[in-house]
Amino acid sequence: MLELAFSTEDVLRIRFAFSPLWEAVVSIRALRHPADRALHLPWIRRARRALADAGVDLGPLLDLVPAPTRYIPDFLTPPPTTPVPDFAAELAAVRATAPAQVRAELHRLGAAAGPFAARLADDPASGLAELTDTVTAYWQVALAPDWPRVRGLLEGEIAYRARRLAEGGAYLLFGDLHERVSFADDRLYVRHTHWHDSRSLDGSGLVLVPSVFAWPSVYSISQRPWQPTLLYPPRGIATVWETGTAVGPQALGAVLGRARARLLAELVAPASTTELARRTGLTAGAVSQQLTLLRAAGLVASHRAGRVVLYARTETADTLLAATS
């Protein structure tokens, strides 16, 4: 169990981010244990074929994400410093990790570490360069092709969480975040199986990082000098690899039309026109037209996240779906 004590300042310092590097590192668990990550099987099959065809050697990365995974060295997944980190900048931060920090975290990894860890401890500078080269090759082959759909889901999740925080503070924010996460008496509790820690945030706040490949678990960083961070699966995760399978409630479809009912059903989490087109099998133009009608009827709202416009259901739409499901 991880217990983090919040002050008022810590609540004010809650921030949101997502991380290409975290996705790359945590996805290794899905590759190693498909049975435990059945949701990701479509991606796992594609990634394994692509990696084999490209001849990518994952040895250094596999050594630092052992099976079973009880601990991943924090220097491999530094907390994001911006809401939308640049992958190259994240890798540069890994390469800049102080040798003493590398050795301390490898020591914590203990006997679970593979042979690469010994080379890394002996020569952190060259070892980190080799490690980041491996992560780069892995990212380009296995993850970059699917990054637009993953990013869309993460952006929608951050929009939802920011709204929850604005509407009801920390209690509403954490209330439906994950079954292993709870907030009571100004303390955040995260139920880990193999990690126990209790500390005050001391004004450092908390970084919330939604991650597709964190599913079905949650991960955390609580050790200094890193900023406390919580990695968790986003809402709507079950749709991430789907294509053209959405079906809306029949009763609602009879009133609104099947296409509009399907779109409302898909908006469990905010999504872009492109993402909705991929999920439903409709053209982007058709999706845009239907969303315009739904927005005019007060059933969806839109807001801009960087260069992308995200659409979300309104409370009225939620009520309609609940009544007709």
Side-chain angles (χ1 to χ4, degrees):
M1 174 76 77
L2 171 65
E3 177 183 341
L4 298 174
F6 279 70
S7 65
T8 301
E9 184 176 0
D10 292 312
V11 174
L12 294 174
R13 289 181 178 270
I14 291 174
R15 61 185 181 89
F16 308 91
F18 56 84
S19 166
L21 178 58
W22 280 70
E23 293 291 359
V25 173
V26 179
S27 68
I28 290 295
R29 295 193 67 178
L31 283 181
R32 302 190 76 156
H33 298 285
D36 297 335
R37 304 288 188 275
L39 173 69
H40 297 308
L41 281 176
W43 172 81
I44 291 169
R45 296 189 185 103
R46 291 197 302 272
R48 284 182 166 178
R49 287 195 299 267
L51 290 166
D53 291 344
V56 176
D57 179 14
L58 295 179
L61 190 53
L62 293 174
D63 275 8
L64 299 183
V65 188
T69 308
R70 297 184 177 183
Y71 171 70
I72 298 173
D74 294 333
F75 67 77
L76 187 53
T77 54
T81 56
T82 64
V84 187
D86 176 74
F87 186 53
E90 289 190 294
L91 292 177
V94 174
R95 288 192 295 271
T97 307
Q101 187 72 30
V102 171
R103 294 187 178 105
E105 293 180 6
L106 290 176
H107 178 74
R108 192 178 303 152
L109 189 60
F116 171 74
R119 302 204 313 270
L120 179 57
D122 287 341
D123 187 353
S126 61
L128 289 174
E130 180 182 354
L131 176 62
T132 53
D133 285 347
T134 299
V135 176
T136 299
Y138 173 54
W139 170 267
Q140 292 173 344
V141 172
L143 291 164
D146 291 309
W147 179 240
R149 71 167 66 182
V150 170
R151 175 173 175 153
L153 190 63
L154 301 180
E155 287 176 334
E157 169 64 16
I158 288 177
Y160 172 79
R161 289 294 152 198
R163 188 171 74 247
R164 297 278 287 184
L165 180 61
E167 292 174 350
Y171 286 91
L172 193 61
L173 168 65
F174 294 116
D176 64 345
L177 190 119
H178 194 274
E179 61 183 7
R180 296 186 186 179
V181 176
S182 58
F183 190 81
D185 300 324
D186 295 329
R187 281 173 166 74
L188 183 70
Y189 299 93
V190 184
R191 297 195 304 275
H192 291 307
T193 303
H194 301 290
W195 178 249
H196 304 277
D197 191 18
S198 178
R199 60 165 289 193
S200 171
L201 292 178
D202 296 326
S204 61
L206 181 70
V207 188
L208 290 174
V209 182
S211 165
V212 162
F213 288 102
W215 183 90
S217 302
V218 288
Y219 300 80
S220 62
I221 291 178
S222 60
Q223 297 292 295
R224 294 175 175 85
W226 309 108
Q227 183 176 13
T229 304
L230 183 64
L231 190 80
Y232 69 96
R235 298 167 75 250
I237 183 67
T239 68
V240 67
W241 308 122
E242 290 181 355
T243 302
T245 57
V247 178
Q250 292 184 1
L252 189 59
V255 177
L256 297 179
R258 292 180 60 189
R260 288 186 282 277
R262 291 171 69 185
L263 290 170
L264 286 180
E266 282 293 345
L267 286 172
V268 175
S272 67
T273 300
T274 301
E275 177 63 16
L276 290 169
R278 181 190 64 77
R279 292 187 204 168
T280 61
L282 300 170
T283 66
V287 169
S288 179
Q289 182 180 22
Q290 301 303 333
L291 288 172
T292 298
L293 294 172
L294 289 169
R295 183 170 57 182
L299 297 177
V300 301
S302 63
H303 66 275
R304 182 169 294 278
R307 292 174 293 178
V308 178
V309 176
L310 298 177
Y311 293 86
R313 290 195 310 236
T314 63
E315 291 185 8
T316 302
D318 288 339
T319 301
L320 281 174
L321 284 166
T324 57
S325 294

